[in-house]
Amino acid sequence: MLHKAPTPHTNAIFKLNNVGFSIGSKALVQDCTFEVLQGSFMGLLGPNGAGKSSLLRLLYREKKPTAGSIEAFGMPLENWSRKGFAAKVGTVLQEKAQLAGLTIAQVAGLGLFPLSCAKQEEAERIREALELVELWDRRDENAGYLSGGEQQRLFFAQILALDPEVYVLDEPNNHLDIYFQIRLLDHIKAKGKTVIASFHDINLAARYCDSAVLMHESEMVAKGPLADVLSPERLKGVYRVDAEFANSAIAINAPVNQFAMR
Ligand SMILES: Nc1ncnc2c1ncn2[C@@H]1O[C@H](COP(=O)(O)OP(=O)(O)OP(=O)(O)O)[C@@H](O)[C@H]1O
């Protein structure tokens, strides 16, 4: 459990101070204290059910913390107007909206409302984003018929059309083939924007993240450079694998028998 006060940074985009989120008696997030610095690409790591999506939900304001506080751009998160916040912080989420009845181009433009830009600029943003995810030629098709990976590319197009200051990505590589995983995340990384993204693939995280927060059973158990966060002890205790993370890659020997660990 980490209870240290956050060190002051003038360029912190998000500042979390002992943040917690519970539903009834169940704690989904506990004692999270860290900062997301401007221009950093931060990975949110941890096994299934660790609390990664729940924490991201607090950052993009789908839920409110039940303990602690979050600041965004130097202001309490709850003080931001919906439109002001939506212009600065974009998301690609695990849960997918219902797309049936909307065209691919319409879905790509759904995130643009906070910009209030002219129709022509809107159209250009949508075109550029759909070309990038290679769905421009299919722009008039029903988005509801897209495959899982194609839908994920469309959600990338949505955030890329907006191109916010902060990208909040919940398992961005979900459903994507290896080409699009690399193409889309390379593109976002090259922008130099602030990114906080949850990952299951540690090697993919290593390619992009300059820092990481590791969660386990709803608590933050480590933060810092990825290589420090993913020590062999933590890989064993948190991920339950006998493995070593070195030279930006993970070498897994074997899963750890949880009964043998007790
Ligand atoms: N509405 C809810 N009510 C009760 N428990 C919930 C609710 N939503 C999530 N949980 C539980 O909270 C825990 C954390 O879930 P969360 O989705 O944040 O984990 P995660 O780290 O993103 O997992 P994964 O890697 O499997 O996507 C899980 O045990 C989940 O079952």
Side-chain angles (χ1 to χ4, degrees):
M1 236 189 270
L2 292 171
H3 281 290
K4 280 184 200 153
T7 37
H9 278 290
T10 47
N11 63 344
I13 297 291
F14 286 117
K15 265 190 196 185
L16 291 82
N17 195 9
N18 285 329
V19 168
F21 177 65
S22 300
I23 297 179
S25 60
K26 184 174 168 80
L28 279 64
V29 176
Q30 300 184 74
D31 300 311
C32 284
T33 296
F34 65 89
E35 295 182 348
V36 183
L37 300 183
Q38 186 169 29
S40 68
F41 199 123
M42 177 179 266
L44 192 54
L45 309 180
N48 288 146
K52 304 179 297 295
S53 298
S54 303
L55 180 57
L56 292 178
R57 275 188 203 109
L58 303 179
L59 291 186
Y60 61 77
R61 303 205 311 177
E62 190 191 305
K63 301 282 181 194
K64 284 185 180 163
T66 50
S69 61
I70 304 179
E71 273 184 18
F73 305 93
M75 191 156 87
L77 199 56
E78 61 273 19
N79 290 3
W80 280 91
S81 69
R82 179 168 173 259
K83 194 172 172 183
F85 190 75
K88 280 178 172 290
V89 179
T91 55
V92 173
L93 308 178
Q94 269 194 75
E95 308 91 47
K96 302 304 176 209
Q98 290 297 318
L99 300 179
L102 294 175
T103 67
I104 288 171
Q106 283 170 332
V107 174
L110 285 179
L112 293 178
F113 79 94
L115 300 187
S116 308
C117 50
K119 282 274 167 247
Q120 192 180 339
E121 185 188 337
E122 211 169 88
E124 277 166 19
R125 282 173 176 263
I126 291 169
R127 181 186 177 120
E128 207 177 300
L130 283 178
E131 280 178 347
L132 205 97
V133 304
E134 300 183 13
L135 286 173
W136 173 247
D137 293 344
R138 300 175 62 186
R139 61 191 174 278
D140 296 324
E141 287 179 26
N142 185 335
Y145 297 144
L146 292 175
S147 73
E150 289 167 345
Q151 278 191 21
Q152 184 73 346
R153 280 155 52 194
L154 179 52
F155 291 119
F156 264 95
Q158 213 175 63
I159 196 171
L160 287 166
L162 175 65
D163 194 22
E165 281 184 49
V166 185
Y167 284 65
V168 176
L169 308 175
D170 196 359
E171 289 186 41
N173 47 326
N174 227 354
H175 297 294
L176 293 181
D177 65 39
I178 188 72
Y179 168 81
F180 279 108
Q181 288 181 20
I182 302 295
R183 175 168 166 81
L184 297 180
L185 290 174
D186 276 7
H187 181 82
I188 290 175
K189 174 87 176 173
K191 286 175 170 291
K193 298 279 178 87
T194 308
V195 181
I196 177 161
S198 65
F199 285 101
H200 278 296
D201 184 334
I202 289 168
N203 293 322
L204 201 65
R207 181 180 171 97
Y208 298 105
C209 301
D210 41 54
S211 63
V213 161
L214 178 65
M215 294 188 74
H216 182 43
E217 295 175 351
S218 78
E219 291 184 17
M220 182 179 119
V221 291
K223 61 181 170 183
L226 204 69
D228 297 348
V229 164
L230 294 177
S231 64
E233 294 73 29
R234 292 203 190 95
L235 287 168
K236 194 176 221 168
V238 174
Y239 279 104
R240 297 188 289 166
V241 287
D242 180 13
E244 198 175 342
F245 183 80
N247 303 322
S248 299
I250 185 168
I252 301 179
N253 300 318
V256 175
N257 183 330
Q258 59 177 336
F259 300 107
M261 284 178 67
R262 284 182 182 149

